[in-house]
Amino acid sequence: MKQFTQFESRDLGQELIDLGLEYKFNPRLDIQKGQGKRIGCIFLNPSLRTRVSTQIAAQNLGMEAIVLNMDKEGWALEMQDGAIMNKGTVEHIKDAAGVLGSFFDVLAVRAFPTLTQKQEDLSDFVINQFIKYAGIPVVSLESAIRHPLQSLADMITMQEYQVENRRPKVVLTWAPHIKAIPHAVANSFAEWSLGMGYDLTITHPEGYELDESFTKGATLEYDQSKALEDADFVYVKNWSSFQDYGKIHSTDPSWMLTQKHLESAPNAKVMHCLPVRRNLELSDEILDSDRSLVQVQAKNRIFAAQAVLSKIIE
Amino acid sequence: MKQFTQFESRDLGQELIDLGLEYKFNPRLDIQKGQGKRIGCIFLNPSLRTRVSTQIAAQNLGMEAIVLNMDKEGWALEMQDGAIMNKGTVEHIKDAAGVLGSFFDVLAVRAFPTLTQKQEDLSDFVINQFIKYAGIPVVSLESAIRHPLQSLADMITMQEYQVENRRPKVVLTWAPHIKAIPHAVANSFAEWSLGMGYDLTITHPEGYELDESFTKGATLEYDQSKALEDADFVYVKNWSSFQDYGKIHSTDPSWMLTQKHLESAPNAKVMHCLPVRRNLELSDEILDSDRSLVQVQAKNRIFAAQAVLSKIIE
Amino acid sequence: MKQFTQFESRDLGQELIDLGLEYKFNPRLDIQKGQGKRIGCIFLNPSLRTRVSTQIAAQNLGMEAIVLNMDKEGWALEMQDGAIMNKGTVEHIKDAAGVLGSFFDVLAVRAFPTLTQKQEDLSDFVINQFIKYAGIPVVSLESAIRHPLQSLADMITMQEYQVENRRPKVVLTWAPHIKAIPHAVANSFAEWSLGMGYDLTITHPEGYELDESFTKGATLEYDQSKALEDADFVYVKNWSSFQDYGKIHSTDPSWMLTQKHLESAPNAKVMHCLPVRRNLELSDEILDSDRSLVQVQAKNRIFAAQAVLSKIIE
């Protein structure tokens, strides 16, 4: 495996899920595997779970991890090829990624979208510039349009909580938020759920349609209550408009998931990638109930990252 | 030991002091003890000594330490249960502490007081929310009202420099400052000194009385020169008003400790937790003299933390 | 070796270059040498290469490295002896350096100049205060007037790419920039090049003369095209005026090095310490060509630091 930035195939997905679960039960199984290998974790944006789980995953493999908050401890990177750098950017991605590529064995990068430059975001410009110039394997810690380590952790979680003897119904439901939120988690969750063969329904207010390249094969249902019927897994997530790029069209509080919404889905487990805005996206009553898998998902971030790093360094 | 957030008993205090001194003379004595254990150090506020000494203490025990500057590398945490999170806070302490608790074996947390919400501060709200939701041992790296690792380092220092054949006189003297400073260090020093059986006198201008729940058993003396007579250890510290909560009533420069103040205490050693504002809280002549124990205290921060972590992981 | 802050002698320089090259071919040659040793890396300013390469160098020697962004994770340090600290500074360098000196075996410090207080900068005030009060070996990660680890990496690079059978001609050429840039890299490059016996020519617009104490022995040539003739190594760097301290006199774009400038130096290799402002200091065509050694220099930062740390801890 050279990069880990998106869903590749059901076979590879299953292999990573199984390896992640193996590590969950024996975190230091491969403590010798990464000896002498070094990962650089480059953050252009804030992080809690991703930052810590990636470091722990590396430590569990015996790797040395170095974290660089490029936005705070470094400086602004120029991303445009051919730019005349007489403004605010201090170093070109070409040079910075080249150097980091020569310092490390693996580079892990977090680079959020602008939510204003749609074409640039859609090309996953920043992480692809890192890949282009680093010359070593790159792991996405969430890019402009995907968050594959989150989705792998989500797939591990759904396998752990799978229902017996039938194909589970998975629902991705939009939730209200006060800020314009990227599409990465929703995109990746759709990409991985569909890729792994789940029956996926997506529900949201009109105008919040996701990029079809991620959702092809899913059922779109604007009626949230209908979408939630008999759901096994309900993934709650806000995202801003994709068509009217980066804009907030609705904050309709009736879309916030509560126990009442789940009356027609008595067995539904509820998922969220965290951080979650309580009582805005999701009610306390759900998050604090047995339905909630959010802490399981978070814990599985370690083993998702560990499975990916393990494959990359072998 | 499940938590380390305050003074518990003279027996435990003595055990920690003795263990700290053992580590001082042989820092890597228990280098195997923490193998495979992991501590998360969560800072909601700046730190130098605490940050570095805790990492070193962990390393000396063979533990893996990961530092997270939650305020800078992460985001604002919501602390209020039941909050509707439609404002500035991004993640609820319930969720963040739960995740961190599932990632680490021990959590160490720094959370300063607001100095505006007295009841909230007095309940030591933030660190108690971490304890409530993390589900693993929590070590205070200074909370709203206590700084127990500092006090343990101070007790180690006083034992190292103890006077022979009599109970030493300990004086906690208020010092001027230009900013509103928390009560944590003063509270904890009183709590630990009294708990460990020292003869403690507290002196400060009227209006600077500390919370009595920490100072019961101490002698209060408003006349600084009288308080300092025959002192063996003089602990210098500023704090803001407790009654008129978080306010500055006096910056009277005559309260700044100088050699002249110690004429009636010829053997007095002078202590301060650092950082110290020179020539505002304490004069250069004292800090640069043999009287000063401030560097010894700082060095002992490593061994205080090491003793505490050692007890917690056993 | 007690400190590493400047060029000391040709013998020591050669020893460090040779050791650096040895580590380049076998990075973990001395992985046992630093076991149980601890380095504190104190940043008062941003950093990418220096930050990461120093940590890697320490890891390659088996040392434990702790990074402290004093400017962001800590607080403002008072540098003036005898100051009455009733303003913005929170801790005196005396106390902070003393504590750090008691926590670590080696201290590495980055402290940029003010570019406004010329005499203070020229005395290399901040790093010398660290040296004065830390009481342990101090390694400069770039001070007000020198960047010796960069220069050592540059010397390693020039030895790797040395021309056969003759003394190479080295040219340090000023480049345009939009910000006032310190003299440290230029000073150190001159100091080390001359100290290691290279034939050095310095070229820049009038008014950009460097401090003569670093450039004595070099040829000064205001005509850039004449200076570049038959150059073997061209080191490109901006600096602000030294005489009219910290000011920008020229941003003349004709000084930006392009392939055209090198027509009379067909074999010239081009160097820069990075970060480089592309198409302002140096053209893309050069940076992306075989002439460029900037990535080699950056990689060699690891081995320069490793050689220095190796000498310091022995």
Side-chain angles (χ1 to χ4, degrees):
Chain A
M1 200 159 67
K2 284 286 191 70
Q3 316 296 346
F4 182 76
T5 60
Q6 60 178 72
F7 180 82
E8 295 291 352
S9 73
R10 189 159 171 175
D11 282 354
L12 178 59
Q14 194 57 53
E15 190 185 341
L16 290 169
I17 292 167
D18 293 342
L19 185 57
L21 283 169
E22 213 177 329
Y23 286 138
K24 184 163 189 171
F25 295 104
N26 191 355
R28 290 176 196 253
L29 177 68
D30 283 337
I31 188 76
Q32 295 300 327
K33 192 173 185 180
Q35 291 290 330
K37 302 272 184 187
R38 195 172 274 129
I39 182 171
C41 303
I42 314 300
F43 287 91
L44 305 186
N45 312 97
S47 167
L48 187 161
R49 265 157 296 278
T50 298
R51 171 189 304 276
V52 177
S53 64
T54 308
Q55 286 180 79
I56 292 176
Q59 288 176 347
N60 283 349
L61 293 166
M63 298 177 76
E64 287 164 350
I66 291 179
V67 172
L68 181 64
N69 296 305
M70 194 63 207
D71 54 337
K72 294 179 191 72
E73 301 170 327
W75 38 67
L77 293 177
E78 175 63 50
M79 296 291 170
Q80 302 294 341
D81 290 337
I84 298 169
M85 291 174 59
N86 57 4
K87 300 225 176 64
T89 55
V90 172
E91 181 157 20
H92 201 283
I93 180 72
K94 265 192 203 185
D95 301 309
V99 170
L100 293 166
S102 82
F103 280 4
F104 293 105
D105 300 294
V106 184
L107 215 56
V109 177
R110 165 160 285 197
F112 286 175
T114 61
L115 289 186
T116 55
Q117 309 296 317
K118 189 172 185 172
Q119 289 318 311
E120 190 179 299
D121 289 349
L122 284 185
S123 72
D124 228 351
F125 184 59
V126 176
I127 197 156
N128 280 319
Q129 291 287 76
F130 271 101
I131 291 169
K132 188 172 169 188
Y133 295 117
I136 56 169
V138 170
V139 173
S140 167
L141 301 175
E142 187 171 344
S143 74
I145 51 172
R146 287 184 180 91
H147 194 354
L149 281 174
Q150 178 64 53
S151 299
L152 176 54
D154 297 337
M155 297 302 121
I156 292 172
T157 306
M158 291 203 289
Q159 180 158 316
E160 281 187 284
Y161 285 81
Q162 66 192 325
V163 290
E164 304 265 327
N165 301 322
R166 69 187 164 76
R167 194 177 173 224
K169 180 182 177 186
V170 178
V171 180
L172 170 61
T173 182
W174 181 89
H177 205 289
I178 57 161
K179 292 183 70 176
I181 299 292
H183 308 92
V185 170
N187 285 346
S188 276
F189 183 76
E191 183 180 48
W192 283 74
S193 295
L194 294 164
M196 293 309 297
Y198 284 102
D199 167 15
L200 179 67
T201 300
I202 304 177
T203 184
H204 51 71
E206 288 192 50
Y208 276 97
E209 292 74 18
L210 289 163
D211 183 346
E212 281 180 13
S213 58
F214 294 103
T215 61
K216 209 180 150 189
T219 304
L220 172 56
E221 172 57 68
Y222 292 116
D223 181 338
Q224 190 189 30
S225 65
K226 211 166 151 190
L228 292 170
E229 273 171 26
D230 299 319
D232 295 295
F233 296 102
V234 179
Y235 204 97
V236 180
K237 186 77 190 81
N238 170 266
W239 58 87
S240 54
S241 174
F242 176 70
Q243 259 187 290
D244 188 13
Y245 193 63
K247 294 294 184 301
I248 298 178
H249 280 191
S250 164
T251 56
D252 180 356
S254 75
W255 277 82
M256 180 181 79
L257 203 77
T258 64
Q259 292 286 23
K260 200 168 167 51
H261 288 72
L262 295 177
E263 280 173 2
S264 63
N267 301 316
K269 295 290 186 185
V270 175
M271 303 175 74
H272 190 286
C273 61
L274 302 184
V276 62
R277 294 207 171 220
R278 282 176 172 254
N279 305 314
L280 177 64
E281 294 178 81
L282 245 170
S283 67
D284 274 345
E285 48 165 18
I286 289 186
L287 281 163
D288 298 335
S289 76
D290 287 347
R291 281 191 190 281
S292 171
L293 298 181
V294 301
Q295 288 290 338
V296 181
Q297 292 170 266
K299 177 83 178 184
N300 285 340
R301 292 293 308 277
I302 295 171
F303 310 111
Q306 195 171 342
V308 166
L309 292 180
S310 180
K311 286 289 292 177
I312 277 189
I313 62 174
E314 79 186 7
Chain B
M1 201 158 68
K2 283 286 191 69
Q3 315 296 345
F4 181 76
T5 61
Q6 60 178 73
F7 180 82
E8 296 291 351
S9 73
R10 189 159 171 176
D11 281 354
L12 179 58
Q14 193 57 54
E15 191 185 341
L16 290 169
I17 292 167
D18 293 342
L19 185 56
L21 283 168
E22 212 177 330
Y23 286 138
K24 184 162 188 172
F25 294 105
N26 190 356
R28 290 175 196 253
L29 177 68
D30 284 335
I31 188 77
Q32 296 300 327
K33 193 173 186 179
Q35 291 290 329
K37 302 272 183 188
R38 195 171 275 128
I39 182 172
C41 303
I42 315 300
F43 287 91
L44 306 186
N45 312 98
S47 167
L48 186 160
R49 264 156 297 278
T50 298
R51 171 189 303 277
V52 177
S53 64
T54 308
Q55 286 181 79
I56 292 176
Q59 289 176 347
N60 283 349
L61 292 166
M63 299 177 75
E64 287 164 351
I66 292 179
V67 172
L68 181 64
N69 296 304
M70 194 63 207
D71 54 336
K72 294 180 190 70
E73 301 169 329
W75 38 68
L77 294 177
E78 175 61 51
M79 295 291 169
Q80 302 294 341
D81 290 338
I84 299 169
M85 292 174 59
N86 57 4
K87 300 226 175 63
T89 56
V90 171
E91 181 157 21
H92 201 283
I93 180 73
K94 265 191 203 186
D95 302 309
V99 171
L100 293 167
S102 82
F103 281 3
F104 292 105
D105 301 293
V106 184
L107 215 56
V109 177
R110 165 160 285 197
F112 286 174
T114 62
L115 288 186
T116 55
Q117 310 296 317
K118 188 172 184 173
Q119 290 317 313
E120 190 178 302
D121 289 350
L122 284 186
S123 72
D124 228 350
F125 184 59
V126 176
I127 197 156
N128 280 320
Q129 291 288 75
F130 271 101
I131 290 169
K132 186 171 170 188
Y133 295 118
I136 57 168
V138 170
V139 173
S140 168
L141 301 176
E142 187 171 342
S143 74
I145 51 173
R146 286 184 181 92
H147 195 354
L149 281 175
Q150 178 65 50
S151 298
L152 176 54
D154 297 338
M155 297 302 120
I156 292 172
T157 306
M158 291 203 288
Q159 180 157 318
E160 282 188 283
Y161 285 82
Q162 65 192 325
V163 290
E164 304 265 327
N165 301 323
R166 69 185 165 76
R167 195 176 171 224
K169 179 180 178 187
V170 179
V171 180
L172 170 60
T173 181
W174 182 90
H177 205 288
I178 56 161
K179 293 183 71 177
I181 298 292
H183 309 92
V185 170
N187 286 346
S188 276
F189 183 76
E191 184 180 46
W192 284 73
S193 294
L194 293 164
M196 293 308 297
Y198 284 103
D199 167 15
L200 178 67
T201 299
I202 305 178
T203 183
H204 52 70
E206 288 193 51
Y208 276 98
E209 291 74 18
L210 289 163
D211 183 346
E212 281 180 13
S213 58
F214 293 103
T215 60
K216 207 180 151 189
T219 304
L220 172 56
E221 172 56 69
Y222 292 116
D223 181 339
Q224 191 189 28
S225 64
K226 212 164 149 190
L228 292 170
E229 272 170 27
D230 299 319
D232 296 297
F233 296 102
V234 179
Y235 203 97
V236 180
K237 186 76 189 84
N238 171 267
W239 57 88
S240 54
S241 175
F242 176 70
Q243 258 188 289
D244 187 13
Y245 192 63
K247 294 293 185 301
I248 297 178
H249 280 192
S250 164
T251 55
D252 179 357
S254 75
W255 277 83
M256 180 181 80
L257 203 75
T258 63
Q259 292 285 23
K260 201 170 165 50
H261 288 73
L262 295 176
E263 280 173 2
S264 62
N267 301 316
K269 294 290 184 185
V270 176
M271 302 175 74
H272 189 285
C273 62
L274 303 184
V276 62
R277 293 206 173 221
R278 283 175 171 254
N279 304 314
L280 177 65
E281 295 178 81
L282 246 170
S283 66
D284 274 346
E285 47 166 17
I286 289 186
L287 280 164
D288 298 336
S289 76
D290 288 347
R291 282 190 189 281
S292 170
L293 297 181
V294 302
Q295 288 289 337
V296 181
Q297 293 170 266
K299 177 84 179 184
N300 285 340
R301 292 293 308 275
I302 295 172
F303 310 111
Q306 195 171 341
V308 165
L309 293 180
S310 180
K311 286 288 292 176
I312 276 188
I313 62 174
E314 79 187 7
Chain C
M1 200 158 70
K2 283 284 191 73
Q3 317 295 345
F4 182 76
T5 60
Q6 60 179 73
F7 180 82
E8 296 291 351
S9 72
R10 188 159 172 177
D11 280 355
L12 179 59
Q14 193 58 54
E15 191 185 340
L16 290 169
I17 293 167
D18 293 342
L19 184 56
L21 283 168
E22 213 177 328
Y23 286 139
K24 183 162 190 172
F25 294 105
N26 191 355
R28 291 175 196 254
L29 176 68
D30 284 335
I31 188 75
Q32 296 300 328
K33 193 173 184 180
Q35 291 290 329
K37 302 273 184 187
R38 195 171 276 129
I39 182 172
C41 303
I42 314 300
F43 287 91
L44 305 185
N45 313 96
S47 167
L48 186 160
R49 265 158 297 278
T50 298
R51 170 189 304 278
V52 177
S53 64
T54 308
Q55 286 181 78
I56 292 177
Q59 289 175 347
N60 283 350
L61 293 167
M63 298 178 76
E64 287 164 350
I66 291 178
V67 171
L68 180 64
N69 296 305
M70 193 63 208
D71 54 337
K72 295 180 189 70
E73 301 170 326
W75 38 69
L77 293 177
E78 175 62 53
M79 296 290 170
Q80 301 293 341
D81 290 338
I84 298 169
M85 291 174 60
N86 58 3
K87 302 227 174 62
T89 55
V90 173
E91 182 157 20
H92 200 283
I93 180 73
K94 266 191 202 184
D95 301 309
V99 171
L100 293 167
S102 81
F103 281 3
F104 292 106
D105 300 292
V106 185
L107 215 56
V109 177
R110 165 160 286 196
F112 286 174
T114 62
L115 288 186
T116 56
Q117 309 297 316
K118 188 172 185 174
Q119 289 316 312
E120 190 178 300
D121 290 350
L122 284 186
S123 72
D124 228 349
F125 183 59
V126 177
I127 197 155
N128 280 320
Q129 290 288 74
F130 271 100
I131 291 169
K132 187 171 169 187
Y133 294 118
I136 58 169
V138 170
V139 173
S140 168
L141 301 175
E142 187 172 344
S143 73
I145 51 172
R146 288 186 179 90
H147 195 352
L149 281 174
Q150 178 64 51
S151 299
L152 176 54
D154 298 337
M155 296 303 121
I156 292 172
T157 306
M158 291 203 289
Q159 179 158 317
E160 282 189 283
Y161 286 81
Q162 66 193 325
V163 290
E164 305 265 327
N165 300 324
R166 70 185 165 76
R167 196 177 171 221
K169 179 182 178 185
V170 179
V171 179
L172 170 61
T173 181
W174 180 90
H177 206 288
I178 57 160
K179 292 184 69 176
I181 300 291
H183 309 91
V185 170
N187 286 346
S188 276
F189 183 75
E191 184 180 47
W192 283 74
S193 294
L194 294 164
M196 293 308 297
Y198 284 102
D199 167 16
L200 178 67
T201 299
I202 304 177
T203 183
H204 51 70
E206 288 192 51
Y208 276 97
E209 292 74 18
L210 290 163
D211 183 346
E212 281 181 12
S213 58
F214 294 102
T215 60
K216 207 181 152 190
T219 304
L220 172 56
E221 172 57 68
Y222 293 116
D223 181 339
Q224 190 189 28
S225 65
K226 213 166 150 189
L228 292 169
E229 272 171 27
D230 299 320
D232 294 297
F233 295 101
V234 179
Y235 204 98
V236 179
K237 186 77 190 85
N238 170 267
W239 58 88
S240 54
S241 176
F242 176 70
Q243 258 187 288
D244 187 12
Y245 192 65
K247 295 293 184 302
I248 299 178
H249 279 191
S250 163
T251 56
D252 180 358
S254 75
W255 277 82
M256 179 181 82
L257 202 76
T258 64
Q259 292 285 22
K260 200 168 168 51
H261 288 72
L262 295 175
E263 281 173 0
S264 63
N267 301 315
K269 295 290 185 184
V270 175
M271 302 174 74
H272 190 286
C273 61
L274 303 181
V276 62
R277 294 206 171 222
R278 284 176 170 254
N279 304 314
L280 177 64
E281 294 178 83
L282 244 170
S283 66
D284 275 346
E285 48 166 16
I286 289 185
L287 280 163
D288 299 335
S289 76
D290 289 346
R291 283 191 188 281
S292 170
L293 297 181
V294 301
Q295 288 289 338
V296 181
Q297 291 170 266
K299 176 84 178 183
N300 286 339
R301 290 294 307 276
I302 295 172
F303 310 111
Q306 195 171 341
V308 165
L309 292 180
S310 180
K311 285 290 291 177
I312 276 189
I313 62 175
E314 79 187 6

